[in-house]
PDB file of all heavy atoms in Angstrom:
ATOM      1  N   ARG A   1     -59.490  44.741  23.528  1.00  0.00           N
ATOM      2  CA  ARG A   1     -58.131  44.268  23.300  1.00  0.00           C
ATOM      3  C   ARG A   1     -57.265  45.440  22.795  1.00  0.00           C
ATOM      4  O   ARG A   1     -57.734  46.255  21.999  1.00  0.00           O
ATOM      5  CB  ARG A   1     -58.158  43.138  22.225  1.00  0.00           C
ATOM      6  CG  ARG A   1     -56.779  42.594  21.910  1.00  0.00           C
ATOM      7  CD  ARG A   1     -57.054  41.391  21.004  1.00  0.00           C
ATOM      8  NE  ARG A   1     -55.797  40.989  20.415  1.00  0.00           N
ATOM      9  CZ  ARG A   1     -55.112  39.940  20.728  1.00  0.00           C
ATOM     10  NH1 ARG A   1     -55.422  39.220  21.708  1.00  0.00           N
ATOM     11  NH2 ARG A   1     -54.040  39.657  20.164  1.00  0.00           N
ATOM     12  N   VAL A   2     -56.065  45.576  23.412  1.00  0.00           N
ATOM     13  CA  VAL A   2     -55.020  46.441  22.791  1.00  0.00           C
ATOM     14  C   VAL A   2     -53.945  45.584  22.307  1.00  0.00           C
ATOM     15  O   VAL A   2     -53.302  44.824  23.083  1.00  0.00           O
ATOM     16  CB  VAL A   2     -54.562  47.467  23.993  1.00  0.00           C
ATOM     17  CG1 VAL A   2     -53.491  48.253  23.393  1.00  0.00           C
ATOM     18  CG2 VAL A   2     -55.734  48.343  24.452  1.00  0.00           C
ATOM     19  N   ALA A   3     -53.733  45.560  20.979  1.00  0.00           N
ATOM     20  CA  ALA A   3     -52.795  44.629  20.414  1.00  0.00           C
ATOM     21  C   ALA A   3     -51.789  45.465  19.577  1.00  0.00           C
ATOM     22  O   ALA A   3     -51.994  46.655  19.329  1.00  0.00           O
ATOM     23  CB  ALA A   3     -53.616  43.686  19.412  1.00  0.00           C
ATOM     24  N   PHE A   4     -50.690  44.861  19.186  1.00  0.00           N
ATOM     25  CA  PHE A   4     -49.739  45.442  18.341  1.00  0.00           C
ATOM     26  C   PHE A   4     -49.109  44.400  17.335  1.00  0.00           C
ATOM     27  O   PHE A   4     -49.177  43.223  17.557  1.00  0.00           O
ATOM     28  CB  PHE A   4     -48.596  45.989  19.240  1.00  0.00           C
ATOM     29  CG  PHE A   4     -47.895  45.042  20.110  1.00  0.00           C
ATOM     30  CD1 PHE A   4     -46.755  44.391  19.681  1.00  0.00           C
ATOM     31  CD2 PHE A   4     -48.342  44.779  21.379  1.00  0.00           C
ATOM     32  CE1 PHE A   4     -46.073  43.440  20.473  1.00  0.00           C
ATOM     33  CE2 PHE A   4     -47.659  43.872  22.230  1.00  0.00           C
ATOM     34  CZ  PHE A   4     -46.518  43.195  21.805  1.00  0.00           C
ATOM     35  N   ILE A   5     -48.727  44.928  16.240  1.00  0.00           N
ATOM     36  CA  ILE A   5     -47.974  44.111  15.264  1.00  0.00           C
ATOM     37  C   ILE A   5     -46.612  44.765  14.951  1.00  0.00           C
ATOM     38  O   ILE A   5     -46.593  45.996  14.573  1.00  0.00           O
ATOM     39  CB  ILE A   5     -48.819  43.998  13.957  1.00  0.00           C
ATOM     40  CG1 ILE A   5     -50.152  43.501  14.119  1.00  0.00           C
ATOM     41  CG2 ILE A   5     -48.036  43.204  12.928  1.00  0.00           C
ATOM     42  CD1 ILE A   5     -51.032  43.598  12.968  1.00  0.00           C
ATOM     43  N   ALA A   6     -45.603  44.024  15.284  1.00  0.00           N
ATOM     44  CA  ALA A   6     -44.168  44.535  14.913  1.00  0.00           C
ATOM     45  C   ALA A   6     -43.640  43.519  13.956  1.00  0.00           C
ATOM     46  O   ALA A   6     -44.347  42.586  13.462  1.00  0.00           O
ATOM     47  CB  ALA A   6     -43.415  44.495  16.286  1.00  0.00           C
ATOM     48  N   SER A   7     -42.315  43.756  13.667  1.00  0.00           N
ATOM     49  CA  SER A   7     -41.709  42.852  12.659  1.00  0.00           C
ATOM     50  C   SER A   7     -40.207  42.618  13.082  1.00  0.00           C
ATOM     51  O   SER A   7     -39.612  43.598  13.359  1.00  0.00           O
ATOM     52  CB  SER A   7     -41.805  43.441  11.325  1.00  0.00           C
ATOM     53  OG  SER A   7     -41.132  42.727  10.332  1.00  0.00           O
ATOM     54  N   MET A   8     -39.832  41.360  12.989  1.00  0.00           N
ATOM     55  CA  MET A   8     -38.420  41.059  13.304  1.00  0.00           C
ATOM     56  C   MET A   8     -37.892  40.160  12.226  1.00  0.00           C
ATOM     57  O   MET A   8     -38.500  39.118  11.810  1.00  0.00           O
ATOM     58  CB  MET A   8     -38.243  40.384  14.697  1.00  0.00           C
ATOM     59  CG  MET A   8     -36.902  40.123  15.050  1.00  0.00           C
ATOM     60  SD  MET A   8     -36.840  39.465  16.765  1.00  0.00           S
ATOM     61  CE  MET A   8     -35.068  39.486  17.090  1.00  0.00           C
ATOM     62  N   ASN A   9     -36.774  40.649  11.610  1.00  0.00           N
ATOM     63  CA  ASN A   9     -36.174  39.940  10.391  1.00  0.00           C
ATOM     64  C   ASN A   9     -37.230  39.592   9.380  1.00  0.00           C
ATOM     65  O   ASN A   9     -37.278  38.518   8.815  1.00  0.00           O
ATOM     66  CB  ASN A   9     -35.538  38.635  10.881  1.00  0.00           C
ATOM     67  CG  ASN A   9     -34.379  38.869  11.901  1.00  0.00           C
ATOM     68  OD1 ASN A   9     -33.628  39.942  11.740  1.00  0.00           O
ATOM     69  ND2 ASN A   9     -34.238  38.008  13.007  1.00  0.00           N
ATOM     70  N   GLY A  10     -38.149  40.591   9.164  1.00  0.00           N
ATOM     71  CA  GLY A  10     -39.103  40.442   8.108  1.00  0.00           C
ATOM     72  C   GLY A  10     -40.291  39.613   8.504  1.00  0.00           C
ATOM     73  O   GLY A  10     -41.252  39.418   7.687  1.00  0.00           O
ATOM     74  N   GLN A  11     -40.373  39.076   9.757  1.00  0.00           N
ATOM     75  CA  GLN A  11     -41.469  38.279  10.116  1.00  0.00           C
ATOM     76  C   GLN A  11     -42.329  39.034  11.076  1.00  0.00           C
ATOM     77  O   GLN A  11     -41.846  39.556  11.898  1.00  0.00           O
ATOM     78  CB  GLN A  11     -41.026  36.927  10.809  1.00  0.00           C
ATOM     79  CG  GLN A  11     -40.056  36.088   9.903  1.00  0.00           C
ATOM     80  CD  GLN A  11     -40.797  35.536   8.728  1.00  0.00           C
ATOM     81  OE1 GLN A  11     -41.960  35.066   8.805  1.00  0.00           O
ATOM     82  NE2 GLN A  11     -40.253  35.702   7.549  1.00  0.00           N
ATOM     83  N   PRO A  12     -43.623  38.909  10.893  1.00  0.00           N
ATOM     84  CA  PRO A  12     -44.536  39.743  11.812  1.00  0.00           C
ATOM     85  C   PRO A  12     -44.559  39.006  13.124  1.00  0.00           C
ATOM     86  O   PRO A  12     -44.406  37.869  13.419  1.00  0.00           O
ATOM     87  CB  PRO A  12     -45.928  39.550  11.116  1.00  0.00           C
ATOM     88  CG  PRO A  12     -45.834  38.328  10.316  1.00  0.00           C
ATOM     89  CD  PRO A  12     -44.361  38.204   9.875  1.00  0.00           C
ATOM     90  N   ILE A  13     -44.676  39.881  14.194  1.00  0.00           N
ATOM     91  CA  ILE A  13     -44.810  39.636  15.585  1.00  0.00           C
ATOM     92  C   ILE A  13     -46.187  40.096  16.008  1.00  0.00           C
ATOM     93  O   ILE A  13     -46.340  41.395  16.004  1.00  0.00           O
ATOM     94  CB  ILE A  13     -43.660  40.118  16.452  1.00  0.00           C
ATOM     95  CG1 ILE A  13     -42.346  39.579  16.000  1.00  0.00           C
ATOM     96  CG2 ILE A  13     -43.906  39.918  17.930  1.00  0.00           C
ATOM     97  CD1 ILE A  13     -41.172  40.392  16.595  1.00  0.00           C
ATOM     98  N   ASN A  14     -47.039  39.317  16.421  1.00  0.00           N
ATOM     99  CA  ASN A  14     -48.338  39.705  16.921  1.00  0.00           C
ATOM    100  C   ASN A  14     -48.387  39.614  18.460  1.00  0.00           C
ATOM    101  O   ASN A  14     -47.975  38.655  18.956  1.00  0.00           O
ATOM    102  CB  ASN A  14     -49.503  38.878  16.308  1.00  0.00           C
ATOM    103  CG  ASN A  14     -49.647  38.998  14.925  1.00  0.00           C
ATOM    104  OD1 ASN A  14     -49.977  40.078  14.400  1.00  0.00           O
ATOM    105  ND2 ASN A  14     -49.389  37.990  14.136  1.00  0.00           N
ATOM    106  N   GLY A  15     -48.734  40.772  19.077  1.00  0.00           N
ATOM    107  CA  GLY A  15     -48.755  40.776  20.498  1.00  0.00           C
ATOM    108  C   GLY A  15     -49.999  41.597  21.098  1.00  0.00           C
ATOM    109  O   GLY A  15     -50.743  42.129  20.265  1.00  0.00           O
ATOM    110  N   SER A  16     -50.072  41.496  22.368  1.00  0.00           N
ATOM    111  CA  SER A  16     -51.188  42.288  22.985  1.00  0.00           C
ATOM    112  C   SER A  16     -50.782  42.548  24.432  1.00  0.00           C
ATOM    113  O   SER A  16     -49.796  41.999  24.922  1.00  0.00           O
ATOM    114  CB  SER A  16     -52.504  41.526  23.016  1.00  0.00           C
ATOM    115  OG  SER A  16     -52.384  40.378  23.682  1.00  0.00           O
ATOM    116  N   PHE A  17     -51.481  43.502  25.099  1.00  0.00           N
ATOM    117  CA  PHE A  17     -51.309  43.819  26.456  1.00  0.00           C
ATOM    118  C   PHE A  17     -52.417  43.115  27.192  1.00  0.00           C
ATOM    119  O   PHE A  17     -53.621  43.418  26.923  1.00  0.00           O
ATOM    120  CB  PHE A  17     -51.310  45.263  26.626  1.00  0.00           C
ATOM    121  CG  PHE A  17     -50.105  45.927  25.968  1.00  0.00           C
ATOM    122  CD1 PHE A  17     -50.180  46.466  24.736  1.00  0.00           C
ATOM    123  CD2 PHE A  17     -48.816  46.023  26.614  1.00  0.00           C
ATOM    124  CE1 PHE A  17     -49.140  47.070  24.019  1.00  0.00           C
ATOM    125  CE2 PHE A  17     -47.781  46.512  25.963  1.00  0.00           C
ATOM    126  CZ  PHE A  17     -47.967  47.023  24.696  1.00  0.00           C
ATOM    127  N   ARG A  18     -52.209  42.374  28.222  1.00  0.00           N
ATOM    128  CA  ARG A  18     -53.298  41.606  28.861  1.00  0.00           C
ATOM    129  C   ARG A  18     -53.917  42.486  29.816  1.00  0.00           C
ATOM    130  O   ARG A  18     -55.017  42.254  30.361  1.00  0.00           O
ATOM    131  CB  ARG A  18     -52.582  40.448  29.653  1.00  0.00           C
ATOM    132  CG  ARG A  18     -52.106  39.410  28.711  1.00  0.00           C
ATOM    133  CD  ARG A  18     -51.527  38.220  29.532  1.00  0.00           C
ATOM    134  NE  ARG A  18     -50.295  38.723  30.136  1.00  0.00           N
ATOM    135  CZ  ARG A  18     -49.430  38.125  30.854  1.00  0.00           C
ATOM    136  NH1 ARG A  18     -49.632  36.782  31.062  1.00  0.00           N
ATOM    137  NH2 ARG A  18     -48.405  38.595  31.342  1.00  0.00           N
ATOM    138  N   ARG A  19     -53.282  43.638  30.236  1.00  0.00           N
ATOM    139  CA  ARG A  19     -54.030  44.589  31.245  1.00  0.00           C
ATOM    140  C   ARG A  19     -53.947  45.981  30.799  1.00  0.00           C
ATOM    141  O   ARG A  19     -52.873  46.503  30.428  1.00  0.00           O
ATOM    142  CB  ARG A  19     -53.419  44.440  32.537  1.00  0.00           C
ATOM    143  CG  ARG A  19     -54.110  45.254  33.629  1.00  0.00           C
ATOM    144  CD  ARG A  19     -53.532  44.928  35.094  1.00  0.00           C
ATOM    145  NE  ARG A  19     -54.071  45.910  35.969  1.00  0.00           N
ATOM    146  CZ  ARG A  19     -53.421  46.449  36.960  1.00  0.00           C
ATOM    147  NH1 ARG A  19     -52.171  46.119  37.213  1.00  0.00           N
ATOM    148  NH2 ARG A  19     -54.046  47.383  37.710  1.00  0.00           N
ATOM    149  N   PHE A  20     -55.035  46.615  30.793  1.00  0.00           N
ATOM    150  CA  PHE A  20     -55.207  48.147  30.471  1.00  0.00           C
ATOM    151  C   PHE A  20     -56.504  48.667  31.158  1.00  0.00           C
ATOM    152  O   PHE A  20     -57.380  47.886  31.444  1.00  0.00           O
ATOM    153  CB  PHE A  20     -55.263  48.319  28.987  1.00  0.00           C
ATOM    154  CG  PHE A  20     -56.317  47.761  28.279  1.00  0.00           C
ATOM    155  CD1 PHE A  20     -57.592  48.417  28.060  1.00  0.00           C
ATOM    156  CD2 PHE A  20     -56.282  46.493  27.791  1.00  0.00           C
ATOM    157  CE1 PHE A  20     -58.616  47.928  27.481  1.00  0.00           C
ATOM    158  CE2 PHE A  20     -57.416  45.852  27.105  1.00  0.00           C
ATOM    159  CZ  PHE A  20     -58.556  46.644  26.907  1.00  0.00           C
ATOM    160  N   ASP A  21     -56.489  49.846  31.511  1.00  0.00           N
ATOM    161  CA  ASP A  21     -57.742  50.509  32.015  1.00  0.00           C
ATOM    162  C   ASP A  21     -58.008  51.706  31.157  1.00  0.00           C
ATOM    163  O   ASP A  21     -57.029  52.498  30.732  1.00  0.00           O
ATOM    164  CB  ASP A  21     -57.394  51.033  33.439  1.00  0.00           C
ATOM    165  CG  ASP A  21     -57.177  49.853  34.449  1.00  0.00           C
ATOM    166  OD1 ASP A  21     -57.947  48.915  34.395  1.00  0.00           O
ATOM    167  OD2 ASP A  21     -56.241  49.859  35.201  1.00  0.00           O
ATOM    168  N   THR A  22     -59.292  51.940  30.930  1.00  0.00           N
ATOM    169  CA  THR A  22     -59.792  53.108  30.135  1.00  0.00           C
ATOM    170  C   THR A  22     -60.889  53.755  30.788  1.00  0.00           C
ATOM    171  O   THR A  22     -61.842  53.194  31.237  1.00  0.00           O
ATOM    172  CB  THR A  22     -60.144  52.586  28.754  1.00  0.00           C
ATOM    173  OG1 THR A  22     -59.040  51.821  28.160  1.00  0.00           O
ATOM    174  CG2 THR A  22     -60.584  53.702  27.839  1.00  0.00           C
ATOM    175  N   ARG A  23     -60.822  55.145  30.802  1.00  0.00           N
ATOM    176  CA  ARG A  23     -61.943  55.954  31.253  1.00  0.00           C
ATOM    177  C   ARG A  23     -62.393  56.752  29.963  1.00  0.00           C
ATOM    178  O   ARG A  23     -61.603  57.420  29.375  1.00  0.00           O
ATOM    179  CB  ARG A  23     -61.455  56.918  32.305  1.00  0.00           C
ATOM    180  CG  ARG A  23     -61.276  56.293  33.675  1.00  0.00           C
ATOM    181  CD  ARG A  23     -61.110  57.246  34.881  1.00  0.00           C
ATOM    182  NE  ARG A  23     -60.494  58.492  34.523  1.00  0.00           N
ATOM    183  CZ  ARG A  23     -59.218  58.785  34.770  1.00  0.00           C
ATOM    184  NH1 ARG A  23     -58.416  57.860  35.339  1.00  0.00           N
ATOM    185  NH2 ARG A  23     -58.641  59.982  34.362  1.00  0.00           N
ATOM    186  N   ILE A  24     -63.571  56.501  29.646  1.00  0.00           N
ATOM    187  CA  ILE A  24     -64.224  57.163  28.449  1.00  0.00           C
ATOM    188  C   ILE A  24     -65.401  57.916  28.806  1.00  0.00           C
ATOM    189  O   ILE A  24     -66.253  57.446  29.386  1.00  0.00           O
ATOM    190  CB  ILE A  24     -64.556  56.090  27.387  1.00  0.00           C
ATOM    191  CG1 ILE A  24     -63.345  55.255  27.096  1.00  0.00           C
ATOM    192  CG2 ILE A  24     -65.263  56.687  26.260  1.00  0.00           C
ATOM    193  CD1 ILE A  24     -63.663  53.954  26.140  1.00  0.00           C
ATOM    194  N   ALA A  25     -65.378  59.144  28.248  1.00  0.00           N
ATOM    195  CA  ALA A  25     -66.638  59.997  28.358  1.00  0.00           C
ATOM    196  C   ALA A  25     -66.829  60.427  26.898  1.00  0.00           C
ATOM    197  O   ALA A  25     -66.057  61.110  26.323  1.00  0.00           O
ATOM    198  CB  ALA A  25     -66.496  61.228  29.261  1.00  0.00           C
ATOM    199  N   PHE A  26     -67.870  59.963  26.334  1.00  0.00           N
ATOM    200  CA  PHE A  26     -68.109  60.081  24.883  1.00  0.00           C
ATOM    201  C   PHE A  26     -69.546  60.371  24.496  1.00  0.00           C
ATOM    202  O   PHE A  26     -70.444  59.706  24.943  1.00  0.00           O
ATOM    203  CB  PHE A  26     -67.673  58.938  23.986  1.00  0.00           C
ATOM    204  CG  PHE A  26     -67.521  59.279  22.550  1.00  0.00           C
ATOM    205  CD1 PHE A  26     -66.457  59.699  21.986  1.00  0.00           C
ATOM    206  CD2 PHE A  26     -68.714  58.896  21.774  1.00  0.00           C
ATOM    207  CE1 PHE A  26     -66.475  60.090  20.639  1.00  0.00           C
ATOM    208  CE2 PHE A  26     -68.709  59.142  20.362  1.00  0.00           C
ATOM    209  CZ  PHE A  26     -67.515  59.687  19.804  1.00  0.00           C
ATOM    210  N   ASP A  27     -69.670  61.362  23.605  1.00  0.00           N
ATOM    211  CA  ASP A  27     -71.018  61.716  23.006  1.00  0.00           C
ATOM    212  C   ASP A  27     -70.769  62.204  21.631  1.00  0.00           C
ATOM    213  O   ASP A  27     -70.146  63.286  21.506  1.00  0.00           O
ATOM    214  CB  ASP A  27     -71.714  62.699  23.940  1.00  0.00           C
ATOM    215  CG  ASP A  27     -73.124  62.981  23.449  1.00  0.00           C
ATOM    216  OD1 ASP A  27     -73.554  62.604  22.333  1.00  0.00           O
ATOM    217  OD2 ASP A  27     -73.850  63.649  24.190  1.00  0.00           O
ATOM    218  N   PRO A  28     -71.290  61.560  20.559  1.00  0.00           N
ATOM    219  CA  PRO A  28     -70.945  62.050  19.211  1.00  0.00           C
ATOM    220  C   PRO A  28     -71.627  63.502  19.046  1.00  0.00           C
ATOM    221  O   PRO A  28     -71.178  64.156  18.127  1.00  0.00           O
ATOM    222  CB  PRO A  28     -71.615  61.046  18.309  1.00  0.00           C
ATOM    223  CG  PRO A  28     -72.564  60.139  19.201  1.00  0.00           C
ATOM    224  CD  PRO A  28     -72.093  60.362  20.583  1.00  0.00           C
ATOM    225  N   ALA A  29     -72.677  63.790  19.840  1.00  0.00           N
ATOM    226  CA  ALA A  29     -73.247  65.140  19.627  1.00  0.00           C
ATOM    227  C   ALA A  29     -72.644  66.221  20.525  1.00  0.00           C
ATOM    228  O   ALA A  29     -72.974  67.424  20.533  1.00  0.00           O
ATOM    229  CB  ALA A  29     -74.755  65.114  20.053  1.00  0.00           C
ATOM    230  N   ASN A  30     -71.575  65.783  21.359  1.00  0.00           N
ATOM    231  CA  ASN A  30     -70.819  66.631  22.213  1.00  0.00           C
ATOM    232  C   ASN A  30     -69.373  66.300  22.317  1.00  0.00           C
ATOM    233  O   ASN A  30     -68.917  65.897  23.278  1.00  0.00           O
ATOM    234  CB  ASN A  30     -71.528  66.604  23.752  1.00  0.00           C
ATOM    235  CG  ASN A  30     -70.867  67.402  24.708  1.00  0.00           C
ATOM    236  OD1 ASN A  30     -70.119  68.322  24.297  1.00  0.00           O
ATOM    237  ND2 ASN A  30     -70.992  67.113  25.823  1.00  0.00           N
ATOM    238  N   LEU A  31     -68.810  66.454  21.184  1.00  0.00           N
ATOM    239  CA  LEU A  31     -67.328  66.096  21.087  1.00  0.00           C
ATOM    240  C   LEU A  31     -66.513  67.066  22.006  1.00  0.00           C
ATOM    241  O   LEU A  31     -65.518  66.618  22.338  1.00  0.00           O
ATOM    242  CB  LEU A  31     -66.897  66.029  19.609  1.00  0.00           C
ATOM    243  CG  LEU A  31     -67.491  65.039  18.758  1.00  0.00           C
ATOM    244  CD1 LEU A  31     -66.850  65.074  17.371  1.00  0.00           C
ATOM    245  CD2 LEU A  31     -67.176  63.644  19.362  1.00  0.00           C
ATOM    246  N   ALA A  32     -66.905  68.230  22.179  1.00  0.00           N
ATOM    247  CA  ALA A  32     -66.151  69.142  23.052  1.00  0.00           C
ATOM    248  C   ALA A  32     -66.149  68.646  24.456  1.00  0.00           C
ATOM    249  O   ALA A  32     -65.201  69.027  25.222  1.00  0.00           O
ATOM    250  CB  ALA A  32     -66.897  70.576  22.995  1.00  0.00           C
ATOM    251  N   GLY A  33     -67.176  67.810  24.894  1.00  0.00           N
ATOM    252  CA  GLY A  33     -67.245  67.356  26.224  1.00  0.00           C
ATOM    253  C   GLY A  33     -66.640  65.909  26.478  1.00  0.00           C
ATOM    254  O   GLY A  33     -66.758  65.291  27.436  1.00  0.00           O
ATOM    255  N   THR A  34     -66.158  65.505  25.293  1.00  0.00           N
ATOM    256  CA  THR A  34     -65.625  64.112  25.278  1.00  0.00           C
ATOM    257  C   THR A  34     -64.222  63.983  25.637  1.00  0.00           C
ATOM    258  O   THR A  34     -63.454  64.881  25.351  1.00  0.00           O
ATOM    259  CB  THR A  34     -65.808  63.502  23.836  1.00  0.00           C
ATOM    260  OG1 THR A  34     -67.177  63.406  23.501  1.00  0.00           O
ATOM    261  CG2 THR A  34     -65.228  62.208  23.544  1.00  0.00           C
ATOM    262  N   SER A  35     -63.770  62.851  26.310  1.00  0.00           N
ATOM    263  CA  SER A  35     -62.438  62.703  26.798  1.00  0.00           C
ATOM    264  C   SER A  35     -62.126  61.179  26.913  1.00  0.00           C
ATOM    265  O   SER A  35     -63.031  60.376  27.077  1.00  0.00           O
ATOM    266  CB  SER A  35     -62.144  63.457  28.074  1.00  0.00           C
ATOM    267  OG  SER A  35     -62.960  62.839  29.109  1.00  0.00           O
ATOM    268  N   VAL A  36     -60.855  60.819  26.849  1.00  0.00           N
ATOM    269  CA  VAL A  36     -60.457  59.434  27.107  1.00  0.00           C
ATOM    270  C   VAL A  36     -59.110  59.397  27.824  1.00  0.00           C
ATOM    271  O   VAL A  36     -58.197  60.351  27.563  1.00  0.00           O
ATOM    272  CB  VAL A  36     -60.394  58.532  25.854  1.00  0.00           C
ATOM    273  CG1 VAL A  36     -59.293  59.022  24.893  1.00  0.00           C
ATOM    274  CG2 VAL A  36     -60.208  57.133  26.154  1.00  0.00           C
ATOM    275  N   VAL A  37     -59.007  58.484  28.716  1.00  0.00           N
ATOM    276  CA  VAL A  37     -57.721  58.242  29.421  1.00  0.00           C
ATOM    277  C   VAL A  37     -57.498  56.738  29.359  1.00  0.00           C
ATOM    278  O   VAL A  37     -58.197  56.093  29.967  1.00  0.00           O
ATOM    279  CB  VAL A  37     -57.596  58.943  30.804  1.00  0.00           C
ATOM    280  CG1 VAL A  37     -56.268  58.549  31.465  1.00  0.00           C
ATOM    281  CG2 VAL A  37     -57.838  60.372  30.851  1.00  0.00           C
ATOM    282  N   THR A  38     -56.353  56.337  28.803  1.00  0.00           N
ATOM    283  CA  THR A  38     -56.043  54.894  28.875  1.00  0.00           C
ATOM    284  C   THR A  38     -54.792  54.663  29.430  1.00  0.00           C
ATOM    285  O   THR A  38     -53.743  55.434  29.093  1.00  0.00           O
ATOM    286  CB  THR A  38     -56.083  54.253  27.335  1.00  0.00           C
ATOM    287  OG1 THR A  38     -57.410  54.516  26.853  1.00  0.00           O
ATOM    288  CG2 THR A  38     -55.715  52.823  27.297  1.00  0.00           C
ATOM    289  N   VAL A  39     -54.655  53.724  30.325  1.00  0.00           N
ATOM    290  CA  VAL A  39     -53.371  53.301  30.925  1.00  0.00           C
ATOM    291  C   VAL A  39     -53.070  51.918  30.532  1.00  0.00           C
ATOM    292  O   VAL A  39     -54.054  51.002  30.740  1.00  0.00           O
ATOM    293  CB  VAL A  39     -53.451  53.365  32.455  1.00  0.00           C
ATOM    294  CG1 VAL A  39     -52.168  52.902  33.028  1.00  0.00           C
ATOM    295  CG2 VAL A  39     -53.745  54.809  32.837  1.00  0.00           C
ATOM    296  N   ILE A  40     -52.017  51.565  29.959  1.00  0.00           N
ATOM    297  CA  ILE A  40     -51.620  50.293  29.398  1.00  0.00           C
ATOM    298  C   ILE A  40     -50.414  49.812  30.369  1.00  0.00           C
ATOM    299  O   ILE A  40     -49.389  50.514  30.392  1.00  0.00           O
ATOM    300  CB  ILE A  40     -51.193  50.296  27.928  1.00  0.00           C
ATOM    301  CG1 ILE A  40     -52.331  50.769  27.166  1.00  0.00           C
ATOM    302  CG2 ILE A  40     -50.715  48.890  27.463  1.00  0.00           C
ATOM    303  CD1 ILE A  40     -51.982  51.129  25.696  1.00  0.00           C
ATOM    304  N   TYR A  41     -50.553  48.644  30.959  1.00  0.00           N
ATOM    305  CA  TYR A  41     -49.607  48.106  31.794  1.00  0.00           C
ATOM    306  C   TYR A  41     -48.514  47.323  30.870  1.00  0.00           C
ATOM    307  O   TYR A  41     -48.851  46.195  30.466  1.00  0.00           O
ATOM    308  CB  TYR A  41     -50.203  47.235  32.910  1.00  0.00           C
ATOM    309  CG  TYR A  41     -51.097  48.139  33.773  1.00  0.00           C
ATOM    310  CD1 TYR A  41     -52.385  48.339  33.438  1.00  0.00           C
ATOM    311  CD2 TYR A  41     -50.449  48.783  34.962  1.00  0.00           C
ATOM    312  CE1 TYR A  41     -53.201  49.180  34.275  1.00  0.00           C
ATOM    313  CE2 TYR A  41     -51.304  49.597  35.633  1.00  0.00           C
ATOM    314  CZ  TYR A  41     -52.703  49.773  35.303  1.00  0.00           C
ATOM    315  OH  TYR A  41     -53.490  50.625  36.046  1.00  0.00           O
ATOM    316  N   THR A  42     -47.485  47.925  30.623  1.00  0.00           N
ATOM    317  CA  THR A  42     -46.481  47.409  29.637  1.00  0.00           C
ATOM    318  C   THR A  42     -45.871  46.092  30.092  1.00  0.00           C
ATOM    319  O   THR A  42     -45.474  45.393  29.186  1.00  0.00           O
ATOM    320  CB  THR A  42     -45.414  48.353  29.290  1.00  0.00           C
ATOM    321  OG1 THR A  42     -44.835  48.887  30.521  1.00  0.00           O
ATOM    322  CG2 THR A  42     -45.981  49.665  28.558  1.00  0.00           C
ATOM    323  N   GLY A  43     -45.824  45.852  31.332  1.00  0.00           N
ATOM    324  CA  GLY A  43     -45.293  44.545  31.770  1.00  0.00           C
ATOM    325  C   GLY A  43     -46.189  43.380  31.495  1.00  0.00           C
ATOM    326  O   GLY A  43     -45.860  42.250  31.677  1.00  0.00           O
TER     327      GLY A  43
END
């Protein structure tokens, strides 16, 4: 989930994005070779 919390007139607004794509290459022993690309469809 990709979610967000905003505030309007002092009241919290909880929301999320229903669609996103993420490409992850991760290795805790190889952070130099690690990368991430996330695309969030704002609509």
Side-chain angles (χ1 to χ4, degrees):
R1 181 175 165 102
V2 176
F4 58 90
I5 302 170
S7 176
M8 183 172 188
N9 298 321
Q11 299 299 312
I13 299 169
N14 292 296
S16 64
F17 296 94
R18 291 177 295 183
R19 184 172 171 220
F20 62 92
D21 293 315
T22 302
R23 287 192 326 260
I24 300 170
F26 188 87
D27 183 349
N30 180 16
L31 293 180
T34 293
S35 65
V36 65
V37 176
T38 299
V39 177
I40 299 166
Y41 297 88
T42 53

